[in-house]
């Protein structure tokens, strides 16, 4: 029987996406399409999740270093004082400063506390 090549081309293109899948997810076109949708949704969610996880990581790093300044001093106080003094440093930069040069972060926190 004669058949056009467009469907076959579409299915081979879909199966290239599923080359790392197993079982029916690798062989059957309908399940490949469903798994592809799920994979792309998960990838989208995890890109957002990664941003959240990095922000949490930076906050933890800053908090660890800043607690060495004083007993009652913490990350939340530091951020509050930064906003009061209108010093807009994002958490990523603060974490890099905290890891590479603790004294610099101590100096910043001492300046803004006064």
């Amino acid at each position: 029987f004669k058949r056009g090549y467009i469907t076959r081309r579409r299915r081979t293109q879909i199966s290239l996406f599923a080359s790392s899948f197993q079982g029916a997810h690798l062989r059957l076109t309908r399940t490949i399409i469903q798994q592809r949708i799920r994979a792309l949704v998960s990838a989208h969610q995890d890109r957002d999740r990664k941003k959240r996880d990095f922000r949490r990581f930076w906050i933890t790093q800053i908090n660890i270093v800043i607690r060495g300044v004083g007993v009652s001093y913490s990350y939340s106080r530091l951020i509050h004082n930064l906003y009061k003094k209108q010093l807009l440093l994002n958490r990523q930069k603060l974490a890099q400063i905290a890891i590479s040069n603790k004294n610099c972060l101590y100096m910043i926190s001492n300046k803004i506390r006064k």
Side-chain angles (χ1 to χ4, degrees), residues 93-106:
K93 297 300 174 199
L94 281 172
Q96 285 175 350
I97 292 169
I99 295 302
S100 63
N101 194 354
K102 292 179 184 177
N103 293 333
C104 184
L105 190 66
Y106 292 154

Side-chain angles (χ1 to χ4, degrees), residues 52-67 74-76 78-79 90-92 94-95 98:
R52 270 181 271 164
D53 289 343
F54 266 109
R55 186 180 166 97
R56 283 176 61 188
F57 178 63
W58 295 328
I59 289 170
T60 307
Q61 284 180 327
I62 296 165
N63 198 20
I64 288 168
V65 172
I66 207 66
R67 281 180 183 273
S74 65
Y75 165 80
S76 59
L78 172 74
I79 296 297
N90 64 8
R91 276 106 180 130
Q92 183 180 9
L94 281 172

Side-chain angles (χ1 to χ4, degrees), residues 27-111:
R27 290 179 190 86
L28 304 178
T29 304
R30 187 180 292 175
T31 49
I32 287 175
I33 291 169
Q34 290 170 352
Q35 285 303 112
R36 181 180 178 203
I37 291 168
R38 287 194 59 179
L40 293 174
V41 166
S42 295
H44 184 264
Q45 288 172 343
D46 288 342
R47 280 197 297 276
D48 291 340
R49 181 87 208 157
K50 188 168 84 170
K51 292 175 183 69
R52 270 181 271 164
D53 289 343
F54 266 109
R55 186 180 166 97
R56 283 176 61 188
F57 178 63
W58 295 328
I59 289 170
T60 307
Q61 284 180 327
I62 296 165
N63 198 20
I64 288 168
V65 172
I66 207 66
R67 281 180 183 273
V69 174
V71 177
S72 63
Y73 205 60
S74 65
Y75 165 80
S76 59
R77 291 247 174 100
L78 172 74
I79 296 297
H80 177 70
N81 290 337
L82 281 172
Y83 274 102
K84 274 202 312 195
K85 298 286 184 182
Q86 293 179 340
L87 278 171
L88 300 175
L89 285 169
N90 64 8
R91 276 106 180 130
Q92 183 180 9
K93 297 300 174 199
L94 281 172
Q96 285 175 350
I97 292 169
I99 295 302
S100 63
N101 194 354
K102 292 179 184 177
N103 293 333
C104 184
L105 190 66
Y106 292 154
M107 286 168 49
I108 291 170
S109 64
N110 287 335
K111 282 277 189 194

